Amino acid sequence: MIIDTTYRYTAGLILFFLLGCSSGGSGSDTSLGTVETSNPNAGADVFRVATFGIDTENDMVYAQGLSHSYWNSPNPVTQDLLLDIYTPINNDESRPAMVFIHGGGFTGGDKGTMPPVEFARYFAERGFVSVSINYRLLGDYGTLPQSFNDAIDTSPLLVNADREQIKAMYPATRDAKAALRWVAANADDLGVDPNRISVIGGSAGSYIAIALGATDFDDYKNELSPAEDPTLASTHLDDDVIVGSVVNHWGGPATVTLLEIVDGRSRWGQNDAPLSIVHGTADVTVPYEQAEELVTLYEVTGAYHELTTLNGAGHAAWNSTVDGQSLLELSFDFVARMLDLSVAED
């Protein structure tokens, strides 16, 4: 069932002032001290505890995008879009994959900082192929469909919003979708089951992740023609991905709402990817009301969702625990259940 919910999300767009959730740190090509060369627990898809060493490949090019001096200005330059891969050292050829999307308010952040590195390593040590991606930020001024540019400039719903930040959502989400298609297109080489790909985000990364689980295949892809953006040819346009689950940390629905503002058609539906909503009640950057808004959306359509409320927690509360479990553990449990994975407990 698809519902028309365009005007319900006015607050969701006006209040999505994302200041980012990435902290310092960088990824490095290291591995655990003990390396397993074969699956020590036959029949298990993944493992509850750290089991495998990790091979790390940094700065792999997954696609290209255009960067302008300002929105759609002439003479853009072509920019490589990069990701890091964390592969468990085992003999499995059909592993689940986890794609992590960093935060930073669409103005900053990086795939090689914490928490992306921590999450990527955590999942890889337990049998997932982890991918941490970069995407174009506001300062890159990625190519913007004219319909989006006009709608953002003129919409009365955005009168108090940062229109520049909202424009940056388009190339960022376009790039993240391209990264998913890259994983699917290279599934054999990566040893990944293309039907078991999930997404985890933080803050701005969660806004993107939610869109990956709720929008149509053609969204954030077909709004531009190859003539307007020749780099689309690098984005594996024929490799659509059904996202198995989404873990949202303090994000909201704005990237999906943006499509509704442009064309008036809701994207929310019963077949949206199962969604974990993790949000602090004291978040002043992305208010807790946006978590409640997502719950309402999913309740109306009947799509599966779970809400984890972090009582008294603010934005980017990565060190939170719930009933003794870390957010890493909660994420692992949710994804394993949604993908119906066999989990070895020791």
Side-chain angles (χ1 to χ4, degrees):
M1 176 176 64
I2 303 296
I3 59 173
D4 183 4
T5 52
T6 302
Y7 291 97
R8 183 180 298 169
Y9 312 120
T10 305
L13 272 173
I14 292 175
L15 296 176
F16 90 109
F17 299 116
L18 307 178
L19 299 180
C21 56
S22 297
S23 60
S26 60
S28 59
D29 191 359
T30 59
S31 62
L32 297 178
T34 300
V35 174
E36 299 285 349
T37 57
S38 62
N39 191 328
N41 193 328
D45 293 311
V46 293
F47 295 77
R48 180 76 57 187
V49 299
T51 301
F52 302 107
I54 305 170
D55 276 338
T56 305
E57 297 178 84
N58 294 319
D59 295 333
M60 302 289 291
V61 177
Y62 68 83
Q64 294 179 319
L66 295 180
S67 177
H68 302 254
S69 59
Y70 192 64
W71 301 113
N72 295 350
S73 62
N75 304 315
V77 298
T78 298
Q79 177 178 333
D80 287 339
L81 305 174
L82 305 177
L83 55 76
D84 298 337
I85 307 170
Y86 300 77
T87 305
I89 301 174
N90 59 28
N91 293 331
D92 292 348
E93 297 180 351
S94 186
R95 294 166 288 211
M98 177 58 63
V99 177
F100 195 94
I101 309 175
H102 70 77
F106 298 100
T107 63
D110 186 81
K111 60 182 172 55
T113 60
M114 299 296 181
V117 171
E118 182 181 15
F119 270 79
R121 293 187 62 82
Y122 184 92
F123 276 85
E125 290 166 356
R126 289 157 176 78
F128 288 77
V129 174
S130 297
V131 177
S132 180
I133 73 166
N134 276 352
Y135 49 89
R136 283 172 294 172
L137 302 172
L138 173 57
D140 296 314
Y141 294 111
T143 306
L144 192 66
Q146 193 59 44
S147 58
F148 279 63
N149 190 71
D150 294 344
I152 294 167
D153 281 343
T154 61
S155 173
L157 299 180
L158 306 179
V159 64
N160 294 320
D162 185 337
R163 297 178 194 262
E164 291 289 285
Q165 191 180 41
I166 293 171
K167 289 179 182 181
M169 290 163 47
Y170 181 87
T173 308
R174 177 269 205 189
D175 294 348
K177 280 204 162 191
L180 281 185
R181 295 194 297 270
W182 183 91
V183 173
N186 290 277
D188 288 344
D189 291 338
L190 296 171
V192 163
D193 181 348
N195 297 310
R196 298 192 298 179
I197 300 174
S198 291
V199 184
I200 292 180
S203 196
S206 281
Y207 280 82
I208 296 170
I210 291 164
L212 300 187
T215 57
D216 299 338
F217 289 145
D218 290 343
D219 290 334
Y220 288 101
K221 180 176 76 170
N222 285 3
E223 296 89 358
L224 291 166
S225 70
E228 293 171 307
D229 184 358
T231 65
L232 284 169
S234 71
T235 65
H236 297 92
L237 295 174
D238 295 329
D239 291 276
D240 290 320
V241 178
I242 296 176
V243 176
S245 63
V246 173
V247 181
N248 149 43
H249 297 100
W250 35 89
T255 44
V256 184
T257 307
L258 177 57
L259 297 173
E260 300 174 350
I261 288 176
V262 173
D263 65 17
R265 181 172 64 84
S266 175
R267 299 319 197 266
W268 307 102
Q270 186 176 11
N271 295 323
D272 291 347
L275 178 66
S276 169
I277 305 165
V278 182
H279 215 121
T281 58
D283 192 336
V284 296
T285 303
V286 181
Y288 181 74
E289 286 76 13
Q290 296 208 28
E292 296 175 321
E293 199 170 336
L294 286 167
V295 168
T296 299
L297 288 165
Y298 272 66
E299 285 179 343
V300 171
T301 64
Y304 187 81
H305 63 285
E306 294 180 5
L307 172 64
T308 300
T309 297
L310 306 178
N311 290 310
H315 196 64
W318 293 109
N319 293 326
S320 298
T321 58
V322 179
D323 295 332
Q325 283 191 300
S326 68
L327 299 191
L328 288 161
E329 293 168 324
L330 287 171
S331 298
F332 178 91
D333 285 348
F334 179 81
V335 171
R337 284 187 287 111
M338 296 304 102
L339 296 186
D340 196 23
L341 301 176
S342 171
V343 180
E345 297 296 333
D346 52 28

